[in-house]
């Protein structure tokens, strides 16, 4: 089967790490060859960009600076990891991708989404994920979970209104891209969340097999 590009999205504390591990095990059990990666990051250079973006600092990071750094890391990630894998027939499982730029910079920072779309086209061309799972949870619950796991990074220090906008951004993305995006209610029990994810994956791969 041709390599598929699967992305996992969501605001802080939705359980991406735990559920990505579940998806990895699911893919392994079914013999799907894949690489697992993340954004920002995914290569040594892009991981350095991640550190620049996430580390709290006294100097204010401009919105345009943040957006351009995101896409600089993404360009390197695509060149070194994502495109070579897909071109070789290997699937890619990615913790966040360009939907996060629309959600965090477009909706959260209230930047012009048409600018993000231009950068998306420059960096990605026509490449888009084949399947995107958006883990959704009320912002207050997600931030509480995130605060319990580690010291807040630069994004996690934002006000709750910022994350409300990010969440609404993700839901709007899902609404506008129903053929690609599925929203998973991450406020359910872990077993329920993973049963929902498994159902989506089963349907996705059965349809993919039918068309190849």
């Amino acid at each position: 089967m041709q390599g598929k590009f699967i992305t996992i999205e969501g605001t802080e504390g939705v359980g991406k790490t735990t559920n990505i591990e579940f998806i990895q095990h699911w893919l392994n059990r079914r013999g799907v060859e894949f690489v697992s990666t993340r954004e920002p990051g995914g290569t040594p250079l892009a991981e350095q960009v991640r550190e620049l973006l996430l580390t709290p600092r006294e100097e204010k990071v401009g919105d345009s600076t943040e957006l351009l750094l995101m896409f600089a890391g993404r360009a390197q990630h695509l060149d070194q990891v994502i495109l070579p894998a897909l071109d070789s027939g290997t699937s890619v499982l990615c913790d966040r991708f360009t939907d996060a730029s629309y959600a965090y910079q477009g909706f959260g920072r209230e930047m012009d989404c048409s600018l993000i779309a231009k950068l998306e086209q420059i960096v990605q061309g026509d490449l888009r994920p084949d399947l995107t799972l958006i883990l959704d949870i009320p912002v207050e619950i997600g931030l509480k979970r995130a605060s319990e796991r580690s010291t807040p990074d630069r994004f996690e220090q934002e006000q709750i209104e910022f994350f409300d906008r990010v969440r609404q951004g993700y839901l709007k993305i899902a609404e506008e891209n129903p053929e690609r995006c599925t929203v998973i209610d991450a406020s359910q029990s872990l077993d329920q969340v993973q049963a929902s994810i498994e159902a989506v994956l089963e349907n996705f791969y059965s349809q993919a097999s039918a068309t190849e």
Side-chain angles (χ1 to χ4, degrees):
M1 183 180 295
Q2 182 180 353
K4 301 300 180 185
F5 187 15
I6 302 171
T7 57
I8 313 300
E9 298 281 355
T11 55
E12 313 308 310
V14 295
K16 285 190 293 89
T17 301
T18 299
N19 288 298
I20 285 170
E21 289 176 359
F22 172 79
I23 296 169
Q24 290 170 343
H25 290 310
W26 190 93
L27 293 171
N28 279 325
R29 287 198 306 271
R30 281 151 183 79
V32 177
E33 184 179 354
F34 70 96
V35 296
S36 189
T37 188
R38 69 176 183 178
E39 287 213 345
T43 80
L45 176 57
E47 288 291 331
Q48 290 181 324
V49 174
R50 180 186 181 89
E51 286 298 313
L52 288 173
L53 285 162
L54 299 189
T55 301
R57 63 188 73 248
E58 291 185 10
E59 178 184 3
K60 175 175 169 52
V61 179
D63 293 349
S64 295
T65 303
E66 181 178 280
L67 179 65
L68 291 169
L69 282 170
M70 286 287 185
F71 272 98
R74 183 164 296 134
Q76 183 72 4
H77 192 200
L78 282 161
D79 183 65
Q80 297 296 310
V81 176
I82 296 174
L83 291 175
L86 294 175
D87 288 345
S88 72
T90 300
S91 291
V92 175
L93 175 62
C94 192
D95 180 349
R96 293 204 174 115
F97 193 60
T98 306
D99 289 324
S101 294
Y102 283 103
Y104 278 80
Q105 283 75 51
F107 287 83
R109 303 286 187 218
E110 299 181 292
M111 296 187 71
D112 184 352
C113 285
S114 67
L115 174 61
I116 300 172
K118 290 176 183 177
L119 290 170
E120 180 180 36
Q121 190 63 35
I122 290 169
V123 171
Q124 298 169 221
D126 294 330
L127 176 69
R128 300 294 183 273
D130 297 297
L131 173 67
T132 298
L133 299 175
I134 299 176
L135 301 176
D136 179 60
I137 199 170
V139 170
E140 295 86 348
I141 298 174
L143 291 178
K144 184 174 185 298
R145 287 182 181 177
S147 68
E148 292 170 350
R149 73 181 181 216
S150 62
T151 302
D153 62 32
R154 189 174 66 84
F155 283 94
E156 291 168 344
Q157 292 177 354
E158 289 291 340
Q159 299 297 310
I160 193 168
E161 293 80 10
F162 171 82
F163 293 106
D164 280 329
R165 294 194 297 272
V166 172
R167 184 190 184 198
Q168 293 308 310
Y170 272 129
L171 294 176
K172 184 172 178 60
I173 289 167
E175 180 183 349
E176 293 179 347
N177 298 273
E179 74 293 340
R180 171 174 69 85
C181 298
T182 298
V183 177
I184 304 291
D185 180 1
S187 66
Q188 305 175 96
S189 70
L190 183 58
D191 285 346
Q192 290 173 314
V193 170
Q194 293 182 344
S196 297
I197 291 172
E198 185 169 26
V200 174
L201 292 172
E202 293 280 7
N203 181 63
F204 173 74
Y205 274 96
S206 64
Q207 288 186 350
S209 297
T211 58
E212 292 190 357

